[in-house]
Amino acid sequence: MNSAADRINQRMSELKISQADIKRATGAGKATISSWVNGSTKPSGEYASKLAAYLRCNTDWLLTGVGSMNNAPSERLAPLGTERVDVDHAMNGEVPVISWVAAGNWAEVMPTTLDDVIDWIPKPAHLSDMAFGLVVRGRSMWPEFKPDEIVYVEPNITPWDLKDGDLVIVQCNDDTEATFKQLVMGNGYDDMYLKPLNPDWPDQKMQPMTECNLVGVVDSKYTRYR
């Protein structure tokens, strides 16, 4: 990697995140992030720390290429003024919005920490304290769910609680991140399939639920107009 832009693009590709994801995580403007990605400027100050934390790498490595990409355990970056601790999902009546990679890890019972939080949104009273939000990407669930909308996910559910037509978050095969699908129920709980909502989505093949781990069920959407 010859430049900071190369390293930023490397980590974005490895973690499968977009410039919009970085905007939500760091608070930087769209033009600023574009300049980081195309190499016309480098992130500096608090933005550099936030970007490195979100890209899960060492700040010095990201900016200069010096040292190891990964932080040592005692140096893992967290939001300013915090420690790396498990997220308190009942914090101030809010739930965390996390990345699709973190949601994929959820299926492996790996703890979500403050390092994984992109944003906080109000918590509906009927959801459990383990609920979280995800930012919709792509158009596979169009038009019901549009890119950049936020959905509430309830992970406190078992496959036996699912119903035909439920909207679910799953982690399939060796994927490093979760995905969003609609459930099609066949003849019982051993005969369930997953499909996109968008009738125009090019890949309409239904995937057996047995190939995936259930992360949670989509309960509702959080709408933000500004």
Side-chain angles (χ1 to χ4, degrees):
M1 295 290 113
N2 297 320
S3 70
D6 290 334
R7 289 183 288 277
I8 290 169
N9 282 287
Q10 173 195 341
R11 294 302 290 155
M12 289 176 65
S13 175
E14 290 171 348
L15 297 174
K16 295 183 174 62
I17 63 175
S18 66
Q19 292 189 36
D21 294 328
I22 291 176
K23 182 177 185 296
R24 282 184 290 270
T26 65
K30 183 177 180 181
T32 298
I33 295 168
S34 179
S35 72
W36 298 342
V37 171
N38 64 35
S40 57
T41 65
K42 285 185 181 182
S44 59
E46 184 178 342
Y47 282 146
S49 297
K50 287 184 176 180
L51 180 63
Y54 188 59
L55 295 180
R56 301 184 184 184
C57 63
N58 183 285
T59 305
D60 290 340
W61 176 85
L62 187 68
L63 298 180
T64 68
V66 175
S68 172
M69 180 189 78
N70 296 317
N71 295 294
S74 61
E75 297 173 339
R76 289 300 298 268
L77 294 172
L80 297 180
T82 69
E83 298 177 0
R84 183 174 172 83
V85 295
D86 289 355
V87 168
D88 176 2
H89 287 72
M91 189 181 295
N92 298 322
E94 296 182 315
V95 299
V97 179
I98 64 176
S99 72
W100 290 87
V101 173
N105 288 339
W106 188 286
E108 299 175 2
V109 200
M110 293 178 64
T112 301
T113 73
L114 288 172
D115 281 357
D116 300 310
V117 177
I118 298 170
D119 199 357
W120 293 90
I121 55 176
K123 176 182 176 295
H126 66 281
L127 294 182
S128 76
D129 288 345
M130 299 303 291
F132 58 87
L134 287 171
V135 180
V136 176
R137 301 186 310 181
R139 293 177 174 245
S140 66
M141 301 300 279
W142 182 277
E144 181 75 16
F145 300 93
K146 299 177 176 60
D148 294 332
E149 290 183 332
I150 299 175
V151 294
Y152 285 104
V153 181
E154 174 55 77
N156 190 17
I157 190 169
T158 70
W160 296 274
D161 298 319
L162 295 174
K163 300 176 299 192
D164 185 48
D166 274 346
L167 303 166
V168 294
I169 305 298
V170 294
Q171 182 268 332
C172 301
N173 297 321
D174 296 324
D175 292 345
T176 58
E177 59 181 24
T179 189
F180 187 10
K181 300 291 183 186
Q182 184 177 39
L183 183 74
V184 178
M185 186 80 76
N187 298 318
Y189 297 107
D190 294 327
D191 188 27
M192 297 189 291
Y193 301 88
L194 302 164
K195 74 178 188 70
L197 273 182
N198 186 350
D200 298 323
W201 192 249
D203 184 5
Q204 291 292 326
K205 180 181 177 180
M206 290 199 295
Q207 183 172 15
M209 181 67 179
T210 52
E211 297 178 0
C212 304
N213 296 312
L214 177 65
V215 175
V217 63
V218 172
D219 175 84
S220 52
K221 284 196 294 189
Y222 172 67
T223 303
R224 177 183 287 163
Y225 294 102
R226 288 185 63 82

